[in-house]
Amino acid sequence: MAEDQYKTISEHGFGEGFYSEKRSKFLAFAHHVTSVDEVKTLLASYRKKYYDARHCCYAYVLGPERSVFRANDDGEPSSTAGKPILGQINSCGLTDVLIVVVRYYGGVNLGTGGLIIAYKTAASDALAHATIELRQVEEIVTFDFSYPMMNEVMHVVKEMQARIISQQFDNTCSITLRIRKGEADQLRSRLNKLSFQ
């Protein structure tokens, strides 16, 4: 995988997983998320929906560099829930993902080994039912130019397959583009060469 690519799950729909052991039920949900605020909103909705469940454990990883992450055991013995969930996200090399596992206690203790297997399996099942996508890490490039250069600028934009985010055409024109990170410098250099012609 290239440096400017990352793997996540689709924003459309979410992955659902299930695991049952000694009458305890583990309901798992994998979501595409891009911010801690989104994570908090989803967690609040699961806690409300499954208010009668004993535990609502989760893990998430955010950002193309996978540098923002958290695992939470929500009252389960330390490292028996959040870490196994996070482990499943990491073993798939995913980011911008939240997995929530809701546990209904069945009256029989599973022990730490049993809990780790249960949370890991439920999380894995949720990811197995999600659509995994490869995405580009993108960079924003803004370029100012004079109106007569419009055709040349648009030619470069089209050739490099940059996406136009915004554009303003006046005496001085400005265009804001989104392009794969690995190609941003080439785009800047091609646009800057135009201004000297």
Side-chain angles (χ1 to χ4, degrees), residues 64-184:
E65 301 82 28
R66 307 181 75 247
S67 55
V68 178
F69 58 90
R70 180 144 187 236
N72 186 302
D73 295 317
D74 192 36
E76 290 283 29
S78 181
S79 302
T80 59
K83 262 197 179 148
I85 298 169
L86 184 61
Q88 290 307 297
I89 297 172
N90 289 338
S91 71
C92 293
L94 298 170
T95 190
D96 290 347
V97 173
L98 163 71
I99 299 179
V100 180
V101 181
V102 175
R103 178 190 183 190
Y104 281 96
Y105 183 60
V108 181
N109 287 340
L110 302 181
T112 53
L115 286 171
I116 289 168
I117 289 167
Y119 282 102
K120 179 181 172 182
T121 308
S124 172
D125 194 34
L127 287 175
H129 290 94
T131 307
I132 292 178
E133 298 178 339
L134 194 60
R135 297 210 180 166
Q136 315 298 331
V137 178
E138 293 181 318
E139 209 169 294
I140 305 279
V141 174
T142 302
F143 183 67
D144 297 325
F145 57 96
S146 60
Y147 194 81
M149 292 169 60
M150 173 75 71
N151 287 344
E152 289 94 330
V153 169
M154 288 311 190
H155 181 71
V156 170
V157 168
K158 190 176 177 189
E159 264 192 5
M160 300 244 0
Q161 296 179 338
R163 292 204 321 272
I164 299 169
I165 300 171
S166 67
Q167 49 194 2
Q168 180 187 344
F169 304 123
D170 215 350
N171 296 340
T172 306
C173 302
S174 177
I175 191 165
T176 303
L177 307 163
R178 188 183 286 269
I179 192 162
R180 186 170 170 169
K181 191 176 182 183
E183 296 173 352

